[in-house]
Amino acid sequence: MLHALADPAAALREARRVLIAGGRAVLIGQDWDTFVIDSDHPALTRTVVHAKADTVPSPRAARRHRNLLLGAGFEDVGAQVHTAVLTDAAALPVITGLAEAARNTGALTAAEASAWTADQRARARTGRLFLALPLFVASGTAP
């Protein structure tokens, strides 16, 4: 959720304010700049990922979870990364949605988006789709 906010730090300060002493805040989220997608077109893939990230108010909030908690006054702060690896056609809507967002922003032409999406659809049909999505988890305790 923090990636959807223009000021994630303000949300964490408010969470700290209302949390009782000893209460624990746990954050989980993806970093919109770290989608890892296999493709025969790596430069185009980077454009797709970054163009989508640019449509999110705080696309890198998840990588900041630990520091956001520290900045809000939480203690015993810890952080981990868990990576989801998606290799079947069920991930295709996520991947094609990224390309559509890139086309909508003008980062890709319609032809580039179509070609990139066709490549990903072919990968899905042949069992060669690959999307790795790091999920950042951080927690802290209110003093």
Side-chain angles (χ1 to χ4, degrees), residues 71-131:
F74 285 88
E75 297 175 344
D76 302 318
V77 174
Q80 299 177 358
V81 178
H82 300 271
T83 304
V85 176
L86 309 171
T87 58
D88 62 24
L92 201 52
V94 173
I95 291 173
T96 58
L98 295 173
E100 184 66 19
R103 187 188 64 73
N104 288 341
T105 66
L108 295 183
T109 66
E112 288 171 326
S114 179
W116 190 83
T117 300
D119 175 51
Q120 293 302 314
R121 288 183 194 283
R123 287 172 178 275
R125 280 191 307 277
T126 61
R128 297 187 178 276
L129 193 75
F130 184 88
L131 166 63

Side-chain angles (χ1 to χ4, degrees), residues 28-143:
I28 184 168
Q30 74 275 9
D31 184 304
W32 288 89
D33 268 343
T34 59
F35 280 59
V36 179
I37 303 168
D38 189 21
S39 170
D40 289 335
H41 311 284
L44 202 53
T45 302
R46 277 192 300 278
T47 299
V48 167
V49 170
H50 293 293
K52 173 58 182 174
D54 290 345
T55 69
V56 177
S58 296
R60 290 164 291 285
R63 71 176 70 170
R64 297 181 54 223
H65 282 169
R66 180 178 178 278
N67 286 331
L68 288 167
L69 287 165
L70 289 168
F74 285 88
E75 297 175 344
D76 302 318
V77 174
Q80 299 177 358
V81 178
H82 300 271
T83 304
V85 176
L86 309 171
T87 58
D88 62 24
L92 201 52
V94 173
I95 291 173
T96 58
L98 295 173
E100 184 66 19
R103 187 188 64 73
N104 288 341
T105 66
L108 295 183
T109 66
E112 288 171 326
S114 179
W116 190 83
T117 300
D119 175 51
Q120 293 302 314
R121 288 183 194 283
R123 287 172 178 275
R125 280 191 307 277
T126 61
R128 297 187 178 276
L129 193 75
F130 184 88
L131 166 63
L133 177 61
L135 298 170
F136 294 83
V137 182
S139 62
T141 304

